[in-house]
Amino acid sequence: MSKFYSVRDLEFQIFENLDLSQLTAIPYFADHSEDTFRMVLSAAREIAERSLYPLLTAMDRNEPVLEGGRIKIHPGMKAIVKQFGEDGWINATFSHEEGGQQLPWTIHLAAGYILQAANYSASVFPFLTTGAANLIRSFGSEELIQKFTPKMYSGDWQGTMALTEPDAGSSLSDLNTLAIPTSKEGVFQIKGQKIYISCGDHDACENVIHLMLARIQGAPAGTKGISLFVVPQKDPETGEPNDVLTEGLYHKMGYKGAPIAHLMIGSNEACLGYLVGEANQGLKYMFQMMNEARLGVGMNAVAIASAAYQSSLSYAKERPQGRKITEKDLSKPQVPIIEHADVKRMLLFQKSITEGSLALLMYCSWLADQVSHGTSGDHGAMEALLDLLTPIAKSYPSEIGLQSTSAAVQILGGAGYTTDFPVEQYYREARIHPIHEGTTGIHGMDLLGRKVLIQDGLGWKALMKAIGNDIKEASQLGELEKMSAALARYQSMSNQCLQEQLVKMKQGTDVFLADATLFLELCGHLCLGWMWVRQAVSASKNFERDPVFYKGKIRAAEYFMEYELVKIESLAKRLASDSFPTLDIEKEGF
Amino acid sequence: MSKFYSVRDLEFQIFENLDLSQLTAIPYFADHSEDTFRMVLSAAREIAERSLYPLLTAMDRNEPVLEGGRIKIHPGMKAIVKQFGEDGWINATFSHEEGGQQLPWTIHLAAGYILQAANYSASVFPFLTTGAANLIRSFGSEELIQKFTPKMYSGDWQGTMALTEPDAGSSLSDLNTLAIPTSKEGVFQIKGQKIYISCGDHDACENVIHLMLARIQGAPAGTKGISLFVVPQKDPETGEPNDVLTEGLYHKMGYKGAPIAHLMIGSNEACLGYLVGEANQGLKYMFQMMNEARLGVGMNAVAIASAAYQSSLSYAKERPQGRKITEKDLSKPQVPIIEHADVKRMLLFQKSITEGSLALLMYCSWLADQVSHGTSGDHGAMEALLDLLTPIAKSYPSEIGLQSTSAAVQILGGAGYTTDFPVEQYYREARIHPIHEGTTGIHGMDLLGRKVLIQDGLGWKALMKAIGNDIKEASQLGELEKMSAALARYQSMSNQCLQEQLVKMKQGTDVFLADATLFLELCGHLCLGWMWVRQAVSASKNFERDPVFYKGKIRAAEYFMEYELVKIESLAKRLASDSFPTLDIEKEGF
């Protein structure tokens, strides 16, 4: 038993609900097997339980502070950051030549899920370093790779993603941090400001390596003139300061253990940055990594929801309160609240959301490994499907995770609102996910305005086909007939809904995309319904091996179909309407 | 312009959307008029803006502390608590003989809304004293009234409602604080523990007067053996301590300015309590007041959602980011985010929730004034309707208020997650409302298990009739035809849904009530749809007087019908099902 995730469920997700042989058959992963995967997961559990979870509350109560221009974080993080490096977490998915383990991302993400569920703030440090190093190794010169990545892999240097500026948050085309060429090729003088930089400065590392978007003097306006630079806090050779000043530290509602910085770059005209890859290709590079980061955020959301679920589940099993609704004898002892239908409903809601979302993220990472390293004939369709699923897998768990953690608070009642239990912290921490790595609104437009359209709808067709295959399989298992019929009904309704939206395109982009967020939500319900039918199939096939566990899975699948999937009904009704109050209202009308 | 509520909308709600002549025609309110009501509201606005709002952030950042057995609160509260007394807020609705102003509760609640929107923590101090004093004056002897209420009215003594115990939260029948008769009639020795007592102890008052539930030695088990006592912290005459010890102070996610205490009562066998009314009638007395308290909590939820809405609205009007979706020229300046459809959607969501819920609460308080003081022939139906609406008006704004404040955070994006803006505080504060004064689950069972059934469904019939009347009126105003038809459709669907639930009663209480929370949610959507049609009628009739404002109202009504009312579709579908995963799952299955 773990306090923050279901060990049994994660095993199910990886070893029973995914076809891992499709990964191990790929040459890049040839050295791996179920055994090595289990070792990785078990190592993650160990560091999570021994080092991360014990600091969960302390890191929330003792926020980072900005002192003398430097951010001090919780002193316990130093050893953890170093250990992430020493244990090989940062470059685990990279090649043997790079010192990595060629681990499938599927397993790396699953291990990350354990760390995130234990202590979300602590988990972001290595996650960011991996992302930054991945940009350098994928698009940087050999010189840059040699100069920066070894100390990042070892955990000595922190990596960041430095995108946001005061006047350019969601609107990346308005970035205006400036890069001025110097006499040395590939080296630029950088000047600007960056805000909301996670781990942008802290005292548990020797240097901070920013992967920063900036505009080379004279570059085209908009997204076509953005380049990517490595901007170290200190010169990697001399250790001298590189004119990256920590101007401020954000205080936040949650996720307090991770320092979020406001940086002044080159205020003294003395900041040097190193161009990664070609000029003006920065956004393209960033977005190739961003897709992984987005799935990562979806996973963070699932992890927090999972920790909240486990916390409320153990409370519900132990807390006596009231009697069964059919019991009128007050001399009988009170029963644990898990006996009450409404508490079971809130637990089933959480179970269906966390395990359903986990299944979706694991499925996406399993696709991603095949897209990155495989050579299957379906490669194109697989990639299109992954691209289509990415905004859904980022946003749906993020949004519904708020409701899931809220249900955990509700189960604890007054106790849940106090700091005596961690659920209130999870509730605060969960709120970041619909915001960072692209807001839900941005992902809605990405899905409806781009992903369903590209390559003549290849991704959507692949989704319909994949869902159809699983419906077919489920419909042949007697007890799953009803739920497979429900999924088929809502798949058809969702497809119909998309066709209606495409007709609206003719009325202009504003009409077409006005309800993109709702379409995204509808697709989220559909994909989770799909994931639950898949899980029910796995449970049904293996039933005799672990009946109690699999029965719970099938009940949760039924719950999702009965209570959540039906929400498509209302969304589709709204999406079919030709009335647009959100376009019609004038700003003076509020 | 106020930063935390819409002055124009509150005027609309009171003076345009309610028939106040039905109140002023009642003898008890005869001295009042629109003028006196406006004076009260203007006084509330003044204290809210001058004293309460400036302390909003400071009270959150400087929590109460427990020192030497006494809770110290923010020093700024002392003058405010005293002023609430001096200005007559605490007993404003009480009779002239009691020093009150015979103010309709409708106006008192509206004034409370202003205070709550300014600073929720600060607003609870007088609210609790009013509730406690109301119990004493309604059910206590003349001696108790004289002994306790004057200093409560003056703001010198704090009142509380002391119900919850460590082993009896939602299950009040398990209360076991003990009351042992003494030689003096009506005086008992009290012994027990009370937890989560709001304002249970603080240093901005001279004494704390607990209205406490306890069980007289030998009383029947369950709710039939509960009595109500006045238990002062200090003897009201001598000022000597009465053995009520502050054992602990809860630290909470939000609403931090109000101290919530854990009290030990009579640990030294030296606590005296004074019986209010008759023995064993305590819960009945408490519940008569609780209904007002529940509407009060609904209003708190609306007030916080309103403050969050106003905060995000002013940000959306000022923050430039991106361009209109149809604008491709990047040399054009960025536009305020209120120009984006998805931001307008989130603003319309908040507007429709806060103004729709405010209309519902104002309607309920308007009914309550007529029930308490009027003599109309419809009295019975009015009371039944109020009883039916109470769990809805408490729970719907509380639950959906979480989503509404969440939308405010989302509009601010990364900034909304930081403590630089108050929306994150509103998000944390809103979370208490689905918990206190009865959880949402409890109110669901109250609605479906009791309120729709009593007096042969009198309350439900009154609701259907009232909605029907407003639909009829709206259908005669051409431009509202579509929305009145939508409301009629969902009224009929809701009524059908109730009939289906009543059929399920035959399968047992557990089946009948398994989805009571969903039925409550469905009724919430229906009632808000109704309130929006009422508001649209008022707007349509007065249109020429203030076209910009009324056009906004009609758009918000359209929004609610299009995006929110349709949620009944999915809920009704689930409620019609005969599959019950929440009853079927075993606790080992989680």
Side-chain angles (χ1 to χ4, degrees):
Chain A
M1 276 294 292
S2 160
K3 285 189 172 170
F4 44 85
Y5 80 109
S6 162
V7 179
R8 177 68 186 90
D9 184 56
L10 188 60
E11 284 196 346
F12 168 82
Q13 299 288 354
I14 299 171
F15 301 111
E16 302 171 44
N17 202 44
L18 288 180
D19 181 0
L20 286 185
S21 70
Q22 292 202 29
L23 299 187
T24 47
I26 295 171
Y28 189 80
F29 305 127
D31 288 352
H32 285 283
S33 65
E34 189 170 323
D35 285 348
T36 63
F37 297 159
R38 285 188 188 274
M39 280 171 57
V40 171
L41 297 172
S42 144
R45 183 176 175 183
E46 170 144 357
I47 180 171
E49 298 205 329
R50 206 188 51 229
S51 306
L52 270 63
Y53 189 72
L55 286 184
L56 174 71
T57 308
M59 285 173 66
D60 183 65
R61 307 300 141 82
N62 305 284
E63 282 185 70
V65 289
L66 179 61
E67 278 180 16
R70 195 78 206 268
I71 296 175
K72 287 187 161 183
I73 60 171
H74 192 284
M77 272 310 295
K78 190 152 190 170
I80 294 174
V81 164
K82 188 70 192 157
Q83 195 187 347
F84 281 132
E86 282 171 359
D87 291 356
W89 289 111
I90 291 164
N91 57 345
T93 61
F94 302 168
S95 69
H96 294 314
E97 296 74 44
E98 296 167 294
Q101 300 159 43
Q102 300 193 178
L103 186 68
W105 192 54
T106 305
I107 305 302
H108 197 233
L109 194 68
Y113 164 74
I114 300 173
L115 307 177
Q116 295 149 18
N119 182 332
Y120 170 53
S121 289
S123 76
V124 302
F125 292 78
F127 176 79
L128 287 163
T129 303
T130 298
N134 208 2
L135 278 169
I136 301 175
R137 70 185 266 273
S138 301
F139 307 110
S141 64
E142 190 55 33
E143 189 191 342
L144 288 186
I145 294 170
Q146 290 308 325
K147 193 186 279 212
F148 291 103
T149 61
K151 289 275 195 177
M152 295 173 82
Y153 297 156
S154 65
D156 294 305
W157 295 356
Q158 175 69 51
T160 84
M161 306 286 211
L163 284 74
T164 306
E165 298 178 5
D167 298 320
S170 291
S171 178
L172 287 171
S173 56
D174 291 287
L175 283 176
N176 61 17
T177 290
L178 192 65
I180 304 160
T182 65
S183 57
K184 202 170 163 200
E185 202 190 319
V187 183
F188 291 74
Q189 189 197 324
I190 313 285
K191 191 171 171 64
Q193 279 188 58
K194 293 286 174 181
I195 60 173
Y196 302 137
I197 306 308
S198 294
C199 299
D201 176 27
H202 64 83
D203 61 347
C205 62
E206 295 166 7
N207 200 355
V208 182
I209 311 303
H210 303 288
L211 272 284
M212 191 177 290
L213 294 180
R215 198 178 290 282
I216 296 175
Q217 212 165 26
T223 53
K224 287 174 193 156
I226 295 173
S227 302
L228 178 64
F229 297 87
V230 183
V231 180
Q233 187 183 50
K234 297 174 188 165
D235 183 284
E237 275 134 25
T238 66
E240 289 299 309
N242 187 35
D243 196 15
V244 177
L245 305 178
T246 305
E247 171 75 12
L249 169 68
Y250 291 96
H251 296 282
K252 316 181 294 300
M253 166 155 52
Y255 158 49
K256 296 186 183 187
I260 313 296
H262 176 177
L263 304 175
M264 301 296 292
I265 326 290
S267 321
N268 307 303
E269 325 290 332
C271 175
L272 295 182
Y274 306 87
L275 182 66
V276 177
E278 291 175 35
N280 301 333
Q281 299 295 310
L283 213 60
K284 197 182 84 186
Y285 299 155
M286 194 56 99
F287 271 93
Q288 286 181 36
M289 294 298 114
M290 202 82 93
N291 279 335
E292 285 196 9
R294 286 172 168 176
L295 295 178
V297 168
M299 194 57 122
N300 294 338
V302 182
I304 294 175
S306 155
Y309 167 49
Q310 293 301 323
S311 190
S312 65
L313 176 59
S314 82
Y315 185 89
K317 285 178 175 171
E318 286 160 18
R319 165 78 176 166
Q321 189 76 174
R323 289 160 194 83
K324 285 207 168 192
I325 201 158
T326 46
E327 175 62 77
K328 298 295 169 202
D329 181 356
L330 292 175
S331 69
K332 293 275 173 67
Q334 300 196 66
V335 298
I337 60 173
I338 198 170
E339 300 288 349
H340 303 313
D342 199 53
V343 172
K344 286 206 276 189
R345 183 185 59 78
M346 292 188 281
L347 289 170
L348 269 170
F349 172 61
Q350 293 183 72
K351 180 179 169 77
S352 76
I353 294 309
T354 55
E355 297 178 4
S357 300
L358 182 57
L360 180 61
L361 267 312
M362 296 309 301
Y363 182 87
C364 287
S365 58
W366 174 82
L367 279 181
D369 277 324
Q370 294 177 69
V371 167
S372 301
H373 300 286
T375 51
S376 120
D378 285 347
H379 200 271
M382 239 181 227
E383 187 165 12
L385 178 57
L386 176 62
D387 279 351
L388 181 89
L389 288 175
T390 297
I392 302 168
K394 187 275 175 183
S395 298
Y396 186 84
S398 296
E399 288 285 346
I400 205 150
L402 305 183
Q403 294 175 43
S404 190
T405 52
S406 184
V409 172
Q410 190 69 15
I411 287 173
L412 273 78
Y417 197 67
T418 71
T419 58
D420 298 342
F421 292 86
V423 289
E424 67 84 28
Q425 181 178 345
Y426 297 137
Y427 184 71
R428 291 183 283 111
E429 300 205 333
R431 190 62 193 80
I432 189 61
H433 296 310
I435 297 172
H436 64 182
E437 293 293 348
T439 62
T440 304
I442 297 282
H443 287 291
M445 291 194 285
D446 179 46
L447 178 66
L448 185 59
R450 251 169 47 86
K451 298 290 175 67
V452 300
L453 303 175
I454 44 179
Q455 290 181 278
D456 203 21
L458 182 61
W460 183 262
K461 286 174 201 158
L463 176 65
M464 292 297 111
K465 189 174 160 195
I467 295 178
N469 289 344
D470 286 314
I471 289 175
K472 197 169 165 195
E473 189 170 1
S475 67
Q476 287 154 8
L477 297 165
E479 63 171 338
L480 307 187
E481 215 178 316
K482 192 174 165 193
M483 74 174 75
S484 64
L487 182 61
R489 170 180 157 81
Y490 289 107
Q491 176 185 23
S492 153
M493 196 180 283
S494 304
N495 195 40
Q496 171 67 24
C497 176
L498 174 60
Q499 304 318 316
E500 289 160 6
Q501 303 316 300
L502 296 179
V503 171
K504 284 185 185 171
M505 261 178 101
K506 293 174 197 144
Q507 296 177 57
T509 320
D510 48 351
V511 169
F512 174 48
L513 294 181
D515 285 326
T517 304
L518 271 72
F519 180 74
L520 175 68
E521 187 183 346
L522 179 146
C523 291
H525 293 309
L526 177 67
C527 287
L528 250 71
W530 169 36
M531 287 297 134
W532 271 111
V533 164
R534 280 175 66 87
Q535 292 182 80
V537 167
S538 302
S540 181
K541 285 182 172 170
N542 295 315
F543 195 82
E544 291 311 322
R545 279 171 37 205
D546 191 352
V548 171
F549 175 76
Y550 294 122
K551 208 192 280 181
K553 273 282 174 202
I554 291 169
R555 291 285 170 269
E558 285 168 2
Y559 168 86
F560 193 86
M561 304 300 149
E562 287 281 329
Y563 288 76
E564 305 303 322
L565 189 64
V566 292
K567 290 178 178 166
I568 288 179
E569 205 92 33
S570 301
L571 287 163
K573 183 144 178 87
R574 159 58 213 158
L575 284 159
S577 172
D578 56 1
S579 161
F580 293 94
T582 67
L583 297 178
D584 295 342
I585 192 168
E586 292 158 33
K587 59 177 182 288
E588 298 75 18
F590 286 101
Chain B
M1 275 295 292
S2 161
K3 284 187 173 171
F4 45 85
Y5 80 110
S6 163
V7 179
R8 178 69 187 88
D9 184 55
L10 188 60
E11 284 196 347
F12 168 80
Q13 299 288 353
I14 299 172
F15 300 112
E16 302 171 44
N17 202 43
L18 288 180
D19 181 0
L20 286 185
S21 69
Q22 292 202 30
L23 298 187
T24 47
I26 294 171
Y28 188 80
F29 304 127
D31 288 352
H32 286 284
S33 65
E34 189 170 322
D35 284 349
T36 62
F37 297 158
R38 285 188 188 274
M39 280 170 57
V40 171
L41 297 172
S42 144
R45 183 177 175 182
E46 171 145 357
I47 181 171
E49 298 205 328
R50 206 189 50 229
S51 305
L52 269 64
Y53 189 72
L55 287 184
L56 174 72
T57 309
M59 286 174 66
D60 183 65
R61 308 299 143 82
N62 304 284
E63 282 186 71
V65 289
L66 179 60
E67 278 180 17
R70 195 80 207 269
I71 296 176
K72 287 186 161 184
I73 61 172
H74 192 284
M77 272 310 295
K78 190 154 189 168
I80 294 175
V81 164
K82 188 68 192 157
Q83 195 187 346
F84 281 132
E86 282 170 0
D87 291 356
W89 289 110
I90 292 164
N91 57 345
T93 61
F94 302 167
S95 69
H96 294 315
E97 294 74 45
E98 295 167 295
Q101 302 159 42
Q102 300 193 177
L103 186 70
W105 192 54
T106 305
I107 304 302
H108 198 233
L109 194 69
Y113 165 75
I114 300 173
L115 307 178
Q116 294 148 18
N119 182 333
Y120 170 52
S121 289
S123 76
V124 302
F125 291 78
F127 176 78
L128 287 163
T129 302
T130 298
N134 208 2
L135 277 170
I136 301 175
R137 71 184 266 272
S138 301
F139 307 109
S141 64
E142 190 54 34
E143 190 192 340
L144 288 185
I145 294 171
Q146 289 308 326
K147 193 184 276 210
F148 291 103
T149 62
K151 288 275 195 177
M152 296 171 81
Y153 297 157
S154 66
D156 293 305
W157 295 356
Q158 174 70 51
T160 85
M161 305 287 212
L163 284 74
T164 305
E165 298 178 5
D167 297 321
S170 292
S171 178
L172 288 171
S173 56
D174 291 287
L175 283 177
N176 60 17
T177 289
L178 192 65
I180 303 161
T182 64
S183 56
K184 200 169 162 201
E185 202 190 318
V187 182
F188 290 74
Q189 189 197 324
I190 313 286
K191 191 172 171 65
Q193 279 190 58
K194 293 285 174 182
I195 60 173
Y196 302 136
I197 306 307
S198 295
C199 299
D201 176 27
H202 64 83
D203 62 347
C205 62
E206 295 165 8
N207 200 354
V208 183
I209 311 303
H210 303 288
L211 272 285
M212 190 178 289
L213 294 180
R215 198 179 290 282
I216 296 175
Q217 213 165 26
T223 53
K224 287 174 194 155
I226 294 173
S227 302
L228 179 64
F229 297 87
V230 182
V231 180
Q233 188 183 50
K234 297 175 188 165
D235 183 283
E237 275 134 26
T238 65
E240 289 299 309
N242 187 35
D243 196 14
V244 177
L245 304 179
T246 304
E247 171 75 12
L249 169 69
Y250 291 95
H251 295 282
K252 315 180 295 300
M253 166 155 51
Y255 159 49
K256 295 186 182 185
I260 313 295
H262 176 177
L263 303 176
M264 302 295 293
I265 326 288
S267 321
N268 307 302
E269 325 290 332
C271 174
L272 295 182
Y274 306 87
L275 181 67
V276 177
E278 292 175 33
N280 301 333
Q281 299 295 311
L283 212 60
K284 198 181 84 187
Y285 299 153
M286 193 57 98
F287 271 93
Q288 286 182 35
M289 294 299 112
M290 201 82 93
N291 279 336
E292 285 196 7
R294 285 171 169 177
L295 294 178
V297 168
M299 194 57 122
N300 294 339
V302 181
I304 293 174
S306 155
Y309 168 49
Q310 292 301 324
S311 191
S312 65
L313 176 59
S314 82
Y315 185 89
K317 285 178 176 170
E318 287 160 17
R319 166 78 177 166
Q321 189 77 174
R323 288 159 195 82
K324 286 207 166 191
I325 201 157
T326 47
E327 175 62 76
K328 298 295 167 202
D329 180 357
L330 291 174
S331 70
K332 291 275 172 66
Q334 301 196 65
V335 297
I337 60 172
I338 198 169
E339 300 287 349
H340 303 314
D342 200 53
V343 172
K344 287 207 275 189
R345 184 185 59 78
M346 292 188 281
L347 289 170
L348 269 170
F349 172 60
Q350 293 183 73
K351 180 179 169 76
S352 77
I353 294 309
T354 55
E355 297 179 5
S357 300
L358 182 57
L360 180 61
L361 267 312
M362 296 310 301
Y363 182 86
C364 287
S365 58
W366 174 82
L367 279 181
D369 277 323
Q370 294 178 70
V371 167
S372 301
H373 300 286
T375 51
S376 119
D378 284 349
H379 199 272
M382 238 181 227
E383 188 166 13
L385 177 57
L386 176 61
D387 278 352
L388 181 90
L389 289 175
T390 297
I392 302 167
K394 188 274 174 182
S395 298
Y396 186 84
S398 296
E399 288 284 347
I400 204 149
L402 306 182
Q403 293 175 43
S404 190
T405 51
S406 184
V409 172
Q410 190 69 15
I411 287 173
L412 274 78
Y417 197 67
T418 70
T419 58
D420 298 342
F421 292 86
V423 290
E424 67 84 27
Q425 181 178 345
Y426 297 137
Y427 184 71
R428 292 183 281 111
E429 301 206 332
R431 191 61 192 80
I432 189 61
H433 296 310
I435 297 172
H436 64 181
E437 295 291 348
T439 63
T440 303
I442 296 283
H443 287 292
M445 291 195 285
D446 179 45
L447 178 66
L448 185 58
R450 250 169 46 86
K451 297 289 176 67
V452 300
L453 303 175
I454 44 179
Q455 291 181 276
D456 203 21
L458 182 62
W460 183 263
K461 286 174 201 157
L463 176 65
M464 291 298 111
K465 190 174 159 195
I467 295 178
N469 289 343
D470 286 315
I471 290 175
K472 198 168 164 196
E473 188 169 0
S475 67
Q476 287 154 8
L477 297 166
E479 64 169 338
L480 307 187
E481 214 178 315
K482 192 175 166 193
M483 74 174 75
S484 64
L487 182 61
R489 170 181 158 82
Y490 289 107
Q491 176 186 23
S492 152
M493 197 180 283
S494 304
N495 195 40
Q496 171 67 23
C497 176
L498 175 60
Q499 304 318 316
E500 289 161 5
Q501 303 316 300
L502 296 179
V503 171
K504 285 186 184 170
M505 260 178 102
K506 295 175 196 145
Q507 296 178 58
T509 320
D510 50 349
V511 170
F512 174 48
L513 295 181
D515 285 327
T517 303
L518 272 72
F519 181 74
L520 175 68
E521 187 183 346
L522 179 146
C523 291
H525 293 309
L526 177 66
C527 287
L528 250 72
W530 170 34
M531 288 296 135
W532 271 111
V533 165
R534 280 175 66 86
Q535 292 182 80
V537 167
S538 302
S540 181
K541 284 181 171 171
N542 295 315
F543 196 82
E544 292 310 323
R545 279 172 36 205
D546 191 352
V548 172
F549 175 76
Y550 293 122
K551 208 191 280 182
K553 274 282 173 201
I554 291 169
R555 292 284 169 269
E558 285 168 1
Y559 168 87
F560 193 86
M561 304 299 149
E562 288 281 330
Y563 288 75
E564 306 303 322
L565 189 64
V566 292
K567 290 178 179 166
I568 288 179
E569 206 92 34
S570 300
L571 286 163
K573 184 145 178 87
R574 159 58 212 158
L575 284 159
S577 171
D578 55 2
S579 160
F580 293 95
T582 67
L583 297 178
D584 295 343
I585 192 169
E586 291 158 35
K587 60 176 183 286
E588 297 75 17
F590 286 102

